[in-house]
Amino acid sequence: MPLTLRTRPLTGSIRPLTGRIRPLTGPTRPLQEGTRPSRRVTGPLRHRRAAALLACAVSVALLGASAPPVPLGLGDRLFPYLGNPGYDVASYDLSFAYPGSNDKPLQAVTTINAVTTTDLDRLNLDFAHGKVESVEVDGRAAAFESAGEDLVVTPDRPLRQGDWTRITVKHTSDPVSAKGQDGGWVRTTDGLAMANQADAAHLVFPCNDHPSDKAMFTFHVTAPNGYTVVANGLPAETARTGRTTTWTYRTRHPMATELAQVSIGRSAVLHRTGPHGLPVRDVVPSADAKTLEPWLARTPDQIAWLEGKVGTYPFETYGVLMAQASTGFELETQTLSLFEKNLFTEPAYPKWYIESIMVHELSHQWFGDSVSPRVWSDVWLNEGHATWYEELYAEEKGHQPMINRMKAAYGASDRWRTADGPPALPKAPEPGQKISIFRPNIYDGAALALYALRQEIGRPAFERLERIWVQQHKDGTATTADFVHLASAIANRDLTGFFDAWLYGEKTPPMPGHPDWKQVPAPKKQTAK
């Protein structure tokens, strides 16, 4: 991902991965869903169609307060009930009280500052795993009910379009997963961490849980003395009161809810300096700090390597969180990427492979975190680019030729498209397995499309595209259509047909420069004799 599931790597083979612009964010921009970036659906017509979809959702929100509460959503093709219309979140202020045990609910308060984008008699928040004790809107008690995975709030007076409003929810946050719910809090051997991708932040706190609505975050976490807390952004304050300590962190850049991270554990925080004086802090189990230090020491050079490819690191800090948990994935939570500690201690993984995975998650800080997908169908922009730089790093630093993996990916591409959908039109997740959108087609399949693009427009134009893309859409959201438009402008020709085939086609197009590359049938299953 974001979520990157691992298998033991084999040289020259594909790592089978399964589940992971502008700067205006939030549902005030209509969502674009399931449309190819052709001239027929870009510009005003595309926005009118998307606006009609959003207006339909908003009309539900405008029903009188006497109507029964219903779950809403932004109409995302893959997660239709994720997010909510009618408001744009500016900031979250999250307070958690950790009781010293990771199997008991945390007491929590979530405060949301938002601006309404239409008149609202009531509004919906995504929240599905905790007990709500009270809700206030602008300091006045508000009624609330649950509907599906939504918390429906009815203020004592209507909210008018353009109003700034503050919603305060007192609730619990349960680290023990409910049946059929994936993600949210991750229980480690010594505390907690978060893994909210793709749609699990609302299992931790009430929110507008969609990447199109990025916001600033402040975290206040109280834990018993002896625990260390680290969250996204930079530390603002640490206050000890008796037997507990409260840690405060703030982001300096907007963030999608799925990228929130809070680590609570008996941890050591190791500090070092990255390029341009960038503060780098890593969070590791205290007992393993010395063993893990050689891996962590590589991060500044990895940041410098990526800056040489795509430009200055986009955030205020970076670091690696090595959690004592068995998750099966790594996750690019903003400024503090989540890793399983065992990735770095398992002797079967070669050095080049582990470093390339570190670079995969680091790449996401540009591709997916700073530039976030407008809708989840755009997730190939995250994973394709992170896989691209993972492979490029393995080639340049680990002497693993990228062309070998690309050729292998090409041979499997038709099978992936049949099973999972094309890179920019992935099939919906399996019931009860929401992270199953993270399939090979949006990892190696999407990286393959980027390789084809470099073959098509040439290396200098491709490298210029990458730099301009992350700079133009920094701190914002972007769509596939935005990428096609920018690539066409840099290449000085219309690339709509090229992208249409590579991102939406049922069959994989011929690879530019490699007419000999062919699809490889799936190996036949052997029957026991």
Side-chain angles (χ1 to χ4, degrees), residues 57-58 60-61 70-74 80-85 123-124 126 147 150:
V58 171
V60 178
V70 294
L72 300 179
L74 293 175
Y81 289 102
L82 203 60
N84 291 286
L123 56 84
N124 286 38
D126 298 306
D150 281 11

Side-chain angles (χ1 to χ4, degrees), residues 87-104:
Y87 60 93
D88 188 351
V89 177
S91 67
Y92 292 93
D93 188 290
L94 306 178
S95 295
F96 298 104
Y98 179 66
S101 172
N102 65 8
D103 60 358
K104 296 179 181 178

Side-chain angles (χ1 to χ4, degrees), residues 374-390:
R374 186 80 48 76
V375 293
W376 276 108
S377 295
D378 297 321
V379 71
W380 78 272
L381 289 164
N382 302 17
E383 296 306 339
H385 278 101
T387 303
W388 174 266
Y389 289 104
E390 168 197 330

